[in-house]
Each structure stands twice: as structure tokens, then as C-alpha cells.
């Protein structure tokens, strides 16, 4: 039975549908309380979710409608995966039925051999044996090497091995669910364009992995996909800064049941979150003084310093035991200075810049790089699980800032190279779409590559990661290299292209707008 699921999540946005199938949940994953729901695996990803019964609709009846609404390439690939799964299932059914027919024919043949054979039948049999032997010889030539073991088995036995359902057992990766058809498919309401989520992360809310480098990572299942498996901390959470990244983070914190107080320089941005259950803080100092852990995510080093050291700033609300987590992407010197002043007042400090973009922030799929107070890092575990798919603890303050700048240096340089390649294709008479198709079939294939190229081909530069911020990160990464006398010529070249794009008034567009620096 095939179904489709559709629902909304209130004022913070609506999740598009996504195809999937019901599977058995891990033994140690408890079923959410309340209404009846099924544990479902998404097609095209490794995400899983508890889906309520009332969110399901017939697949075939709504398939065409959903395809018209959802034009995304990854959505179509997921639908194709459903169809391929159904074709394989149908093929197994046919194989099973063929094996039954073979079994019947063998029984009939046995009965035929048991009766006496007349003289005419013996002559016909003698003539046909030559043809049979010839055909068998040709058949042997077509058997691939290494298949002697398979060839020694009867067609019936092979068919039974290929079709576990014949013997009453489901395929290994398609475990049936009690009170449900094992091939019961759904369109699931999940945020699209998600990277795969580690299956083990669903069976454990917190998985800590020590590496040789001394870093630690918390592997958190996607907060949207797990749908309620995150147990929110009982600590009061504050959040300062509701930009592209901060908005998605706060949305997921609220969705996972955290108590959140918000503040933003432009107060109107708080209204939406107040309606969703957040509390309003009048100043950064007030938020810090009334909350146990306060997160901040602002644009650059100056904004980060002003937020802490300015009038009614964070520092004025810090007292012994208060915790401050700076998620801004800044340089190591800035974050070290902030840590010192926070700790000097008896506070606890953690830096936790995030790798991702607006979409990943909304999806709860950020990668968090943390450093500083290890105990505070662990206290933030439920928050990190709500906002991200993975978090890494990198040691002392400053390490996360350095790592984040290196990550964004690579990303920014890659984006500039993509733009350079697309423009070179254009001026040499090559198809930009064909270039993208070729790249998507090679080793460079990635969601980032596809999305940014699509932005350029469609002329859509709505910001998912501001161009001005990736240029800022390149500048800081180059300075980091200078501080240790390490050459960064590729980043320096890319930085000049972004500066050119900023001069063309592209600062507030997406980073993919660097393309315009090559065509003007």
C-alpha cells in the first residue's frame, strides 16, 4: 500500500513531502507517546522519522500532484528511487511465481518419467536429446566466471534464495512492521536537500567519539527526522542574533522543546519566535542574566565584540555560573579576548561557530565546531542535537575559530572556481548546463556544487550565505596564514574576485553572485 504525507509546522514554515517506507525502529529507540505513528526511512537519504498515521495519504493517488508541486532534482531522484524499489519488488514476486511454476513442471516431469515409454516416444526423445545437449553447451558459454556454485543449484533453489518472502522472511533491509504492510510507502514531510544521517545516531542520542587528534564529536541524528527523540535540557536557553543562521537555529531549539529567550538588534525579527513560544529579552545583558546558557550568532568580529562589551552587553549580565556560547565566525584573537573577559567575571565560555547555510540551519543539519569549556560543551548537547547533525570539540579556545576559517576558505575558493569555470565555458562556446551535468557525474559531485551552479544558471542569487561574509572569512583566513608565515595564494586570488563582486554591489546576494565579477 502506497501513501503520501502532508502537514505544516505552524508559522515557521511548511515541510514539503518526501517519499519513504516503513521499517522497524532500532530496539532502543522508544516510540513517541500520543497518537499512533510509524517509523519510516526516507528514499534518497538515510534519514528516518516517526510519522503519525493521519499524515499519510495514498501514494499513487497523489504522486502526480506532488511531482507538479515539487520541481527539485533531489525530490525527483527520491521518487525515481521509489519506482525502482517497486520494480525490484515486482521482479522478486515474478521470480517467486516462476519458481513455483518450475516446481510444478518438475513434478509433472517426474510423473511422466514414471510411466512406460512407447517406441514412437523413444525415437522422438532420441532426436530431441541432440538439440538439448547443443543448447546446454551454448548456455554454458554464457555463464560468467565464478558462477559455478550458482550453476550447481536448481532454478527453484536459486529463486527461493532470491525471494526471501517465498520462505516467509522479509529481505534483510526491509524488515516488516507489526500491524503494517512491509511495503507500505509514504510521502514524508521532511525538509528536502538533506545530507545522509548516520543510522547509528538514531539509536543513540549522544555518541561521543574520541579521535587520535584529541577532538571529540557528538553525532546527533537530524532533529527534524527523529521528530521528538531529542530530550531538551531543563536549562534556560538564551539566543542573541536572528540572522540567516540564527533564525533557523532558534526555530529548531523551540521545535525540540527548549525554553528560549531571544534578542535581536532589530526587535521586529523576534515577533515570529515569540508567537512560537519564545520569550523576549530587552537587552543582551537581560538575556544572559535570566538564562543559564546564552548563545550568540552575529556577523563579524566587531559585532561580536560590541555584543559582549557594548552598553547593556553580555558582560554586564555575566556572573559566576553563567554560560556564554559564541557561534559567530570570527578570528582566534577575537574569540580569545571574549573568553578572557567572560571567565574573568566567573562565567563559562565556549566558542561554537557553525558550518552550513540558511537551508541547513533551517533543517537542523549544521556542523558545529566547538572549543573551550569541555563541561559546557557537554551541557549544550541537546541544543547541538537540535540545531545540527554533528558537533566537534576541538580543545582550547581559538581552535574552532581557526578550523572554521579554514573550512570557509576552502568553500569560498571552490565557489570562485565554479564561477570561473562556468564563465570560461560560456565564452568558449560551451554549454554551461552540460558542464554542470558532467561535474555532477564526476568526483566533484555534491549538493553544494549543484545548488550554486543552479543559482548561476537561473540568475537567482537570493542569499543562502551572504557574499560579504564569505569574503570576510577569506580575509581572516589569509590573515591566519600570514600570522604563521604560511602561503595562501589560492585564497588570496579568490578574495580579490569577491572584492570585485562587492564593488559591483553584490554584498547582500548569495556567495554564488561572485559569478558576476567575471561577466562585468
Amino acid at each position: 500500500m502506497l501513501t503520501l504525507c502532508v502537514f505544516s509546522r505552524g508559522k515557521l514554515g511548511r515541510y514539503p513531502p518526501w517519499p519513504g517506507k516503513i521499517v522497524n525502529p532500532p530496539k532502543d529507540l522508544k516510540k513517541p507517546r500520543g497518537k499512533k505513528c510509524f517509523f519510516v526511512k526516507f528514499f534518497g537519504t538515510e534519514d528516518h522519522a516517526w510519522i503519525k498515521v493521519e499524515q499519510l495519504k495514498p501514494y499513487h493517488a497523489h504522486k502526480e500532484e506532488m511531482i507538479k508541486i515539487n520541481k527539485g532534482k533531489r525530490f525527483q531522484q527520491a521518487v525515481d528511487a521509489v519506482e525502482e524499489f517497486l520494480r525490484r519488488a515486482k521482479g522478486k514476486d515474478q521470480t517467486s511465481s516462476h519458481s513455483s511454476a518450475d516446481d510444478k513442471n518438475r513434478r509433472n516431469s517426474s510423473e511422466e518419467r514414471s510411466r512406460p515409454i512407447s517406441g514412437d516416444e523413444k525415437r522422438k526423445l532420441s532426436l530431441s536429446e541432440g538439440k538439448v545437449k547443443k543448447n546446454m553447451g551454448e548456455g554454458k558459454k554464457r555463464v560468467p566466471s565464478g558462477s559455478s556454485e550458482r550453476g550447481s543449484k536448481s532454478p527453484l533453489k536459486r529463486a527461493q534464495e532470491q525471494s526471501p518472502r517465498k520462505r516467509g522472511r522479509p529481505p534483510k533491509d526491509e524488515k516488516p512492521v507489526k500491524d503494517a504492510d512491509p511495503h507500505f510507502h509514504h510521502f514524508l514531510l521532511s525538509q528536502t536537500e538533506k545530507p545522509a544521517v548516520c543510522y547509528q545516531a538514531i539509536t543513540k542520542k549522544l555518541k561521543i567519539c574520541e579521535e587520535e587528534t584529541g577532538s571529540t564529536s557528538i553525532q546527533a541524528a537530524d532533529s527534524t527526522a527523529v521528530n521528538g527523540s531529542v530530550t531538551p535540557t531543563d536549562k534556560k536557553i538564551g539566543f542573541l542574533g536572528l540572522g540567516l543562521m540564527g533564525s533557523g537555529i532558534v526555530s529548531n531549539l523551540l521545535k525540540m522543546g527548549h525554553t528560549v529567550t531571544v534578542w535581536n538588534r532589530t526587535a521586529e525579527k523576534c515577533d515570529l519566535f515569540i508567537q512560537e513560544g519564545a520569550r523576549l529579552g530587552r537587552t543582551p545583558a537581560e538575556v544572559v542574566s535570566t538564562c543559564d546558557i546564552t548563545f550568540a550568532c552575529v556577523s563579524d568580529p566587531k559585532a561580536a565584540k560590541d555584543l559582549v562589551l557594548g552598553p547593556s552587553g553580555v558582560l554586564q549580565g555575566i556572573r559566576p555560573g553563567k554560560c556564554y556560547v559564541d557561534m559567530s565566525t570570527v578570528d582566534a584573537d577575537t574569540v580569545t579576548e571574549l573568553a578572557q573577559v567572560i571567565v574573568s567575571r566567573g562565567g563559562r565560555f565556549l566558542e561554537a561557530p557553525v558550518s552550513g547555510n540558511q537551508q541547513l540551519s533551517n533543517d537542523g543539519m549544521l556542523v558545529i565546531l566547538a572549543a573551550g569549556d569541555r563541561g559546557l560543551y557537554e551541557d549544550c548537547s541537546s541544543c547541538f542535537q537540535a540545531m545540527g547533525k554533528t558537533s566537534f570539540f576541538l580543545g582550547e579556545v581559538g581552535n574552532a575559530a581557526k578550523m572554521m576559517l579554514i573550512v570557509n576558505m576552502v568553500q569560498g575558493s571552490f565557489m570562485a572556481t565554479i564561477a570561473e569555470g562556468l564563465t570560461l565555458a560560456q565564452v568558449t562556446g560551451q554549454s554551461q548546463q552540460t558542464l554542470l551535468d558532467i561535474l555532477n557525474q564526476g568526483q566533484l559531485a555534491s549538493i553544494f556544487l549543484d545548488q550554486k551552479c543552479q543559482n548561476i544558471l537561473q540568475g537567482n542569487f537570493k542569499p543562502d550565505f551572504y557574499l560579504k561574509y564569505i569574503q570576510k572569512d577569506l580575509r581572516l583566513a589569509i590573515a591566519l596564514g600570514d600570522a604563521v608565515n604560511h602561503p595562501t595564494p589560492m585564497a588570496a586570488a579568490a578574495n580579490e574576485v569577491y572584492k570585485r563582486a562587492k564593488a559591483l554591489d553584490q554584498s547582500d546576494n548569495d556567495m554564488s553572485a561572485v559569478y558576476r565579477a567575471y561577466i562585468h
Side-chain angles (χ1 to χ4, degrees):
M1 181 179 179
L2 309 179
T3 66
L4 170 75
C5 164
V6 179
F7 71 94
S8 65
R9 59 166 180 156
K11 296 181 175 63
L12 292 184
R14 181 186 177 192
Y15 297 111
W18 201 260
K21 63 179 178 179
I22 288 180
V23 297
N24 272 341
K27 293 181 180 180
D28 55 348
L29 182 63
K30 295 182 179 180
K31 190 174 184 178
R33 296 179 180 178
K35 299 182 179 180
K36 186 176 181 181
C37 56
F38 293 113
F39 192 66
V40 188
K41 178 181 178 180
F42 291 70
F43 277 96
T45 75
E46 293 302 320
D47 294 350
H48 297 69
W50 287 107
I51 302 298
K52 295 177 182 178
V53 173
E54 62 267 24
Q55 294 167 352
L56 309 178
K57 293 184 179 180
Y59 173 85
H60 287 301
H62 295 269
K63 171 187 168 184
E64 296 302 326
E65 175 188 351
M66 288 302 104
I67 290 177
K68 289 179 181 178
I69 295 174
N70 299 277
K71 300 294 186 180
K73 181 177 179 180
R74 291 178 65 81
F75 176 82
Q76 184 57 55
Q77 289 174 342
V79 173
D80 292 342
V82 176
E83 299 301 323
E84 177 61 25
F85 177 85
L86 294 178
R87 282 194 292 272
R88 290 200 304 268
K90 184 177 180 181
K92 289 178 181 179
D93 288 336
Q94 291 176 345
T95 302
S96 179
S97 64
H98 287 327
S99 66
S100 297
D102 290 343
D103 191 27
K104 184 177 180 180
N105 290 337
R106 287 175 181 276
R107 289 197 300 271
N108 292 338
S109 297
S110 179
E111 292 173 1
E112 287 291 324
R113 286 195 299 270
S114 66
R115 68 179 179 82
I117 302 177
S118 66
D120 290 340
E121 288 175 332
K122 285 182 179 180
R123 285 192 295 273
K124 291 179 180 178
L125 181 60
S126 177
L127 290 172
S128 63
E129 279 180 350
K131 295 180 180 180
V132 171
K133 289 179 180 179
K134 182 179 180 182
N135 291 338
M136 287 178 67
E138 292 174 354
K140 287 180 180 178
K141 293 178 182 178
R142 291 192 293 269
V143 176
S145 60
S147 61
S148 58
E149 183 179 348
R150 289 181 57 191
S152 65
K153 297 179 182 178
S154 70
L156 175 60
K157 190 169 184 179
R158 289 199 302 270
Q160 287 175 333
E161 290 175 349
Q162 293 169 0
S163 181
R165 283 174 292 174
K166 179 72 178 176
R167 296 174 291 174
R169 290 202 310 236
K172 185 176 180 180
D173 61 343
E174 297 167 21
K175 297 179 181 179
V177 178
K178 293 181 179 180
D179 302 323
D181 184 336
H183 303 300
F184 189 69
H185 300 273
H186 308 76
F187 271 114
L188 302 180
L189 278 160
S190 161
Q191 307 209 354
T192 59
E193 314 291 339
K194 291 184 181 178
V197 176
C198 176
Y199 185 81
Q200 291 180 345
I202 296 175
T203 66
K204 298 180 181 180
K205 295 177 185 176
L206 185 65
K207 175 186 173 187
I208 299 181
C209 307
E210 294 292 344
E211 301 178 356
E212 292 180 1
T213 59
S215 67
T216 301
S217 66
I218 294 178
Q219 301 290 339
D222 168 32
S223 59
T224 299
V226 176
N227 192 21
S229 69
V230 175
T231 302
T233 178
D234 57 3
K235 297 181 183 296
K236 296 178 181 179
I237 304 300
F239 203 94
L240 313 175
L242 300 174
L244 288 183
M245 307 297 281
S247 294
I249 292 173
V250 171
S251 170
N252 283 304
L253 287 172
L254 289 170
K255 185 166 56 179
M256 290 298 109
H258 294 82
T259 300
V260 185
T261 300
V262 296
W263 174 88
N264 191 69
R265 185 177 57 183
T266 306
E268 291 76 13
K269 286 190 176 182
C270 298
D271 294 343
L272 183 61
F273 301 98
I274 302 303
Q275 295 173 22
E276 294 294 330
R279 301 172 184 177
L280 178 64
R282 291 176 295 179
T283 66
E286 180 182 289
V287 174
V288 173
S289 64
T290 58
C291 295
D292 301 304
I293 303 175
T294 300
F295 294 85
C297 188
V298 293
S299 59
D300 55 32
K302 182 179 184 304
K305 289 181 180 180
D306 289 346
L307 187 62
V308 173
L309 305 174
S312 300
V314 167
L315 194 59
Q316 294 185 21
I318 291 291
R319 57 178 185 269
K322 292 295 181 180
C323 303
Y324 186 64
V325 182
D326 195 337
M327 307 190 79
S328 313
T329 300
V330 297
D331 57 284
D333 289 343
T334 295
V335 79
T336 300
E337 179 183 345
L338 296 180
Q340 289 173 348
V341 296
I342 295 295
V343 173
S344 70
R345 295 288 184 92
R348 301 167 64 194
F349 182 86
L350 185 74
E351 60 167 329
V354 293
S355 178
N357 53 31
Q358 183 182 29
Q359 184 62 53
L360 294 176
S361 176
N362 292 339
D363 292 351
M365 292 295 289
L366 296 170
V367 175
I368 301 118
L369 311 182
D373 189 316
R374 175 62 178 267
L376 177 52
Y377 170 72
E378 293 173 353
D379 288 343
C380 292
S381 62
S382 74
C383 296
F384 289 158
Q385 289 179 74
M387 66 180 73
K389 67 173 181 177
T390 308
S391 66
F392 294 86
F393 185 79
L394 303 177
E396 64 182 19
V397 169
N399 285 347
K402 294 172 184 176
M403 185 68 80
M404 189 72 259
L405 290 177
I406 294 169
V407 169
N408 283 359
M409 178 190 74
V410 172
Q411 181 175 248
S413 300
F414 183 41
M415 180 67 252
T417 301
I418 292 171
E420 191 170 295
L422 286 171
T423 51
L424 182 59
Q426 183 180 39
V427 299
T428 56
Q430 305 304 305
S431 166
Q432 292 179 321
Q433 181 61 58
T434 300
L435 172 60
L436 173 57
D437 292 340
I438 293 170
L439 292 173
N440 275 335
Q441 294 299 317
Q443 294 178 325
L444 294 177
S446 65
I447 294 173
F448 178 83
L449 172 71
D450 186 61
Q451 287 180 342
K452 297 310 179 185
C453 285
Q454 292 294 348
N455 287 353
I456 292 172
L457 294 179
Q458 297 169 13
N460 175 19
F461 300 108
K462 180 180 178 181
D464 195 43
F465 192 120
Y466 283 116
L467 183 144
K468 60 185 177 184
Y469 292 158
I470 197 68
Q471 190 274 322
K472 175 261 299 183
D473 294 343
L474 281 166
R475 173 173 54 82
L476 294 177
I478 293 168
L480 176 63
D482 288 343
V484 293
N485 197 32
H486 181 77
T488 53
M490 305 301 292
N495 186 47
E496 293 303 315
V497 182
Y498 282 100
K499 286 163 64 176
R500 165 69 175 161
K502 287 177 65 177
L504 294 171
D505 200 27
Q506 301 301 311
S507 292
D508 293 325
N509 282 332
D510 185 72
M511 69 164 74
S512 53
V514 69
Y515 173 81
R516 289 178 169 168
Y518 286 96
I519 61 176
H520 287 88

